[in-house]
Amino acid sequence: MGFSSQHPAKLWLTALLFLLCILLAVNYGELKTAADIDWMDILGEGSSLAVVLAWLLLVLYSRPAGPVTNGLYVGSLLLVLSYQLNLLDEFFQYPDSHRLLSWLESIPAPVGMLILTLGLIGWHKEQAFINRQLASRELHLRHYQLLDPLTKLYKPEYLLAVLKRELELQQQHQQPFCLALVDISQFSRFNREQGMAAADLLLQQLSELTLLQFRSGDLVCRYSGDKFVILMPQSNQAIAQSLLQNASRELTTYLPTQLHWTITEITAMQHVTQPQRLLSQLWQQLQRQKQQKTLWSLV
Amino acid sequence: MSKALLAFDDKAMLLSTAALDMILLCQRRGFALDSLLKGTKLFEQDLRKATTKISPAQYLQLVSNCQKALPGPELAYLTAQSWLHHSHSPLLLMLRHSANLQQALLSFYRYRSQLLPLVYIRLQRVQGQLRLVLRPSFDLGKQQAFIEQLMLHYLLGLVKQQLGDTSRLSISATGMDYETSWLYQHQWQLTPELCLQNCLSLPLALLKHPFADANPVLWQQQQNWCLYLQQSIPEKAAFTEQLEQWLFTVLRQSPSQEDAARHWGLSLSSLKRLLALQHTSYQQLQDQVKACAAQQALLVQGMSNKTLANRLGYSDEHNFRRAFKRWTGLLPSQFRS
């Protein structure tokens, strides 16, 4: 989504005020001679203007509408106007009788800074809230490039990084953790009968619902296609199994699907060093299990 | 010339079959349509029309945009999956309802301009195995890997969908990163081998296994639709593809550039210009054709360098050894082992 489609009015207002300032300066001021112009000042003030203008555009580009965006926008707009007039007075000489332009130059800057700071405080609060919302999706690490674009869950690379950390931590606290590989039963048939758009929607709904079924410390990742991996720290096989049974029961009531899963418990005694191998073991177990047509298995 | 020429900016591909699914699946993954259509001169309305046609150049731009949105090998796999579940492309339905793989491959060969005329499949028989070698018809640039992967995933998917498993198939690829080979291992339980061309090998016996969805009535119906569609999307092939096909047939004579120009009824400069448009040269094409043929021959055991040199039109085996090293970086003996 480009900023022209998200905040068209804000963009127009910025352009309008920008032009208005130039017209005001041209109207009231007289152009300085080349000898009077200090190019070092222009360089300094011009670059500050460019930077605040970039802030403003970035805010409009990256943020959805809302009070925090409005605060950040108004704050940076006032700064832009103030810095712009500051730059313009390097080119124009104003008569002493006109105080308007010098007020316009000096008053908006501190006000803009204040509003921008308030906006940043709002942003900080919003971020804290989003962090809580994200807690079920991520564990200790944030890496946006490793997000699966469809389900917004993390990809297996992320899981490996978390798994490595979990294995290291286990050497200290000695508590077992569980890893489950979950697979949707007859997904390719669903895909064929309902089409790919419906299958994508199913994956999205399934991932949202799965997130609700697990505890805040657990991590749900999309492994590949219709397979998900769930990491359950500080839990043994019995806890993991009851969590998965619950989740499966809940999901089958809402979605036209059934789950297969396989769980492995990792204890400090096992001295696992290669997380990759753990996952491929789980994978093979799930393949075997699908051939035997059983719903779940424990390794 | 045997077939009409397909030019780079010829609107000869159906958007709804070739690219629509790829765009929609990127869109479902949260990418804006305007960034996916950027630089293609296509608009949202064009996507809704079943008859919108695009040129190879537009298709490559679409692929490039979609790959920017979804980098990595998954896009090719997902697009192939959407082809497998396509419910309104006559050719894709025809392939699904074929009696067996042989009929499916023949149908694909005949009507491939209705799907993706940017690669062609060269069939090679090697010791009870059929090798389907993928060759680009155009200079596909950075998108070549995607398009070839897409075809491989589609063929593998078709075998899996209709014959149940892919364990008797094998895959060779020119070069594969970790993510791509991971995808092959997990989705198809296959480990790709390194090779000079992207190709799929299958036992000849598999060609006759009946398809799960085989249905002669539906197949005939879809073929009628394909014939009807052929009026608006005539069968065309790119010049480099046609030249390559000819070079394969006259391998032993090793024709010069002048011979080729004479065969195609072109002046030497026209031939050079046509090839330059595709960012290639006659020598380059001939080398590729010879490398492809040499590789097939080397896979058949017992063929000596001398016989091979003779087959490929080299005066002696030393010249052949040197040329082989130039194409592949390996000597024939190293390649055999």
Side-chain angles (χ1 to χ4, degrees):
Chain A
M1 225 181 294
F3 39 55
S4 50
S5 61
Q6 253 185 339
H7 305 283
K10 291 192 180 86
L11 211 60
W12 279 113
L13 182 68
T14 313
L16 199 73
L17 288 176
F18 201 87
L19 268 176
L20 204 70
C21 284
I22 296 175
L23 285 177
L24 266 179
V26 173
N27 196 24
Y28 291 116
E30 272 175 44
L31 204 59
K32 284 182 180 175
T33 55
D36 289 338
I37 294 176
D38 185 349
W39 293 103
M40 280 312 284
D41 272 5
I42 288 174
L43 185 72
E45 286 163 15
S47 48
S48 334
L49 175 64
V51 169
V52 284
L53 207 56
W55 291 357
L56 187 137
L57 293 179
L58 276 173
V59 166
L60 290 188
Y61 188 71
S62 56
R63 291 197 48 93
V68 175
T69 310
N70 290 345
L72 292 174
Y73 166 71
V74 173
S76 44
L77 179 65
L78 288 175
L79 279 181
V80 166
L81 297 180
S82 171
Y83 286 160
Q84 186 198 1
L85 287 170
N86 211 350
L87 179 66
L88 284 170
D89 78 2
E90 294 300 320
F91 295 99
F92 294 96
Q93 182 85 53
Y94 306 121
D96 287 341
S97 56
H98 277 287
R99 305 293 300 160
L100 176 72
L101 279 162
S102 62
W103 288 341
L104 276 181
E105 187 185 315
S106 45
I107 297 168
V111 180
M113 294 259 196
L114 193 70
I115 298 177
L116 194 66
T117 315
L118 290 175
L120 282 170
I121 292 171
W123 178 65
H124 171 76
K125 284 184 185 159
E126 182 193 271
Q127 204 54 42
F129 193 82
I130 292 173
N131 280 348
R132 281 205 295 279
Q133 201 182 354
L134 278 177
S136 54
R137 292 180 185 264
E138 61 183 18
L139 221 55
H140 326 299
L141 189 72
R142 179 170 294 178
H143 197 330
Y144 74 96
Q145 280 165 330
L146 296 183
L147 271 175
D148 171 52
L150 183 71
T151 56
K152 313 288 182 294
L153 293 177
Y154 274 103
K155 291 185 193 170
E157 291 93 325
Y158 177 85
L159 176 79
L160 283 177
V162 174
L163 206 54
K164 216 172 135 198
R165 184 180 182 275
E166 207 59 40
L167 286 168
E168 281 164 13
L169 277 177
Q170 197 183 42
Q171 296 305 320
Q172 295 163 17
H173 59 57
Q174 303 282 319
Q175 276 180 322
F177 67 90
C178 277
L179 202 62
L181 184 62
V182 182
D183 164 270
I184 304 175
S185 167
Q186 304 281 341
F187 184 67
S188 57
R189 202 164 120 198
F190 183 87
N191 217 328
R192 204 158 145 195
E193 285 166 5
Q194 312 280 323
M196 229 172 143
D200 278 352
L201 187 67
L202 175 73
L203 285 175
Q204 274 171 339
Q205 290 173 335
L206 186 96
S207 56
E208 287 296 331
L209 281 172
T210 314
L211 283 174
L212 293 176
Q213 302 302 324
F214 287 88
R215 302 162 303 180
S216 61
D218 299 339
L219 174 75
V220 183
C221 286
R222 186 174 178 202
Y223 192 53
S224 77
D226 59 335
K227 293 181 178 54
F228 297 85
V229 178
I230 301 156
L231 174 76
M232 290 159 273
Q234 304 190 6
S235 353
N236 56 28
Q237 223 161 25
I239 298 176
Q241 173 68 355
S242 73
L243 275 171
L244 270 154
Q245 261 165 351
N246 264 330
S248 169
R249 207 177 310 127
E250 283 295 309
L251 289 173
T252 39
T253 50
Y254 294 112
L255 297 173
T257 175
Q258 207 175 20
L259 299 181
H260 288 285
W261 69 88
T262 170
I263 304 174
T264 182
E265 182 182 313
I266 298 116
T267 57
M269 302 287 284
Q270 286 171 315
H271 293 293
V272 180
T273 47
Q274 287 172 308
Q276 183 75 54
R277 259 178 75 184
L278 261 178
L279 287 174
S280 45
Q281 269 169 11
L282 273 179
W283 177 273
Q284 279 156 12
Q285 173 64 23
L286 195 70
Q287 297 297 74
R288 270 199 295 275
Q289 185 190 318
K290 271 171 99 175
Q291 279 163 8
Q292 294 158 0
K293 300 205 166 99
T294 48
L295 216 53
W296 53 268
S297 67
L298 306 172
V299 188
Chain B
M1 277 176 215
S2 48
K3 278 185 200 168
L5 274 191
L6 174 66
F8 207 48
D9 46 6
D10 234 348
K11 293 208 170 178
M13 294 169 69
L14 266 185
L15 174 75
S16 60
T17 317
L20 186 61
D21 286 324
M22 178 176 73
I23 300 171
L24 292 181
L25 69 89
C26 284
Q27 216 187 355
R28 286 199 295 273
R29 278 153 185 77
F31 298 99
L33 198 59
D34 54 355
S35 67
L36 297 173
L37 297 182
K38 207 171 174 183
T40 58
K41 295 183 186 143
L42 288 169
F43 297 96
E44 202 178 340
Q45 297 89 299
D46 298 320
L47 302 186
R48 292 198 210 110
K49 284 187 233 150
T51 50
T52 305
K53 283 191 259 177
I54 54 171
S55 65
Q58 279 175 307
Y59 178 75
L60 291 184
Q61 182 64 45
L62 276 173
V63 170
S64 152
N65 292 349
C66 289
Q67 273 197 306
K68 243 180 243 163
L70 275 183
E74 215 190 357
L75 182 64
Y77 171 75
L78 290 172
T79 311
Q81 285 293 314
S82 72
W83 278 4
L84 286 171
H85 303 115
H86 216 285
S87 56
H88 47 268
S89 154
L91 176 60
L92 292 171
L93 286 171
M94 193 177 160
L95 295 180
R96 205 189 297 166
H97 296 307
S98 298
N100 49 34
L101 193 58
Q102 183 172 12
Q103 193 178 36
L105 287 174
L106 283 171
S107 315
F108 178 75
Y109 177 75
R110 186 135 182 233
Y111 300 107
R112 116 196 123 84
S113 53
Q114 293 175 21
L115 185 66
L116 197 66
L118 303 181
V119 277
Y120 74 96
I121 297 177
R122 195 166 167 79
L123 301 180
Q124 295 180 342
R125 244 175 101 156
V126 179
Q127 292 174 331
Q129 293 266 324
L130 185 71
R131 276 161 54 88
L132 311 174
V133 182
L134 293 177
R135 302 276 316 146
S137 308
F138 278 105
D139 170 37
L140 300 177
K142 283 183 189 157
Q143 280 75 50
Q144 182 174 340
F146 170 85
I147 293 170
E148 294 188 348
Q149 295 302 327
L150 171 64
M151 279 311 296
L152 283 179
H153 282 305
Y154 176 69
L155 290 169
L156 284 167
L158 190 68
V159 171
K160 174 112 181 179
Q161 189 186 51
Q162 301 300 333
L163 301 177
D165 84 321
T166 50
S167 57
R168 294 168 70 192
L169 274 60
S170 58
I171 286 279
S172 316
T174 42
M176 224 172 242
D177 51 17
Y178 171 74
E179 278 184 314
T180 315
S181 55
W182 188 88
L183 190 77
Y184 275 100
Q185 276 166 21
H186 280 81
Q187 298 298 347
W188 309 117
Q189 285 79 50
L190 293 174
T191 313
E193 293 161 22
L194 266 183
C195 182
L196 293 178
Q197 290 99 16
N198 283 326
C199 73
L200 174 70
S201 307
L202 47 101
L204 277 169
L206 215 61
L207 285 175
K208 297 282 185 190
H209 277 236
F211 270 12
D213 290 339
N215 186 331
V217 181
L218 285 178
W219 184 85
Q220 190 56 49
Q221 239 172 37
Q222 300 304 332
Q223 193 190 19
N224 292 345
W225 275 112
C226 280
L227 280 169
Y228 175 71
L229 261 181
Q230 223 168 29
Q231 293 169 8
S232 57
I233 312 161
E235 203 184 344
K236 283 179 171 183
F239 180 63
T240 37
E241 179 189 326
Q242 297 195 31
L243 186 59
E244 259 190 39
Q245 302 266 30
W246 177 72
L247 281 171
F248 270 111
T249 58
V250 290
L251 210 57
R252 203 182 289 252
Q253 288 95 322
S254 196
S256 68
Q257 197 159 201
E258 287 78 10
D259 295 334
R262 212 172 303 123
H263 174 84
W264 294 92
L266 294 166
S267 70
L268 190 59
S269 53
S270 299
L271 178 86
K272 282 184 182 166
R273 187 177 47 80
L274 273 172
L275 291 175
L277 278 179
Q278 301 293 324
H279 305 286
T280 185
S281 68
Y282 185 75
Q283 185 63 45
Q284 235 174 317
L285 271 187
Q286 203 171 31
D287 277 357
Q288 281 168 11
V289 166
K290 282 184 178 176
C292 190
Q295 200 191 359
Q296 178 193 5
L298 281 173
L299 287 170
V300 183
Q301 280 177 355
M303 177 108 40
S304 71
N305 282 357
K306 200 169 178 182
T307 341
L308 247 176
N310 185 24
R311 272 199 174 196
L312 299 176
Y314 283 95
S315 51
D316 61 66
E317 56 188 283
H318 303 295
N319 275 340
F320 165 69
R321 268 165 61 94
R322 216 171 304 125
F324 194 84
K325 178 99 195 234
R326 180 157 53 87
W327 306 325
T328 63
L330 290 173
L331 286 172
S333 51
Q334 289 169 321
F335 186 83
R336 277 195 193 98
S337 61

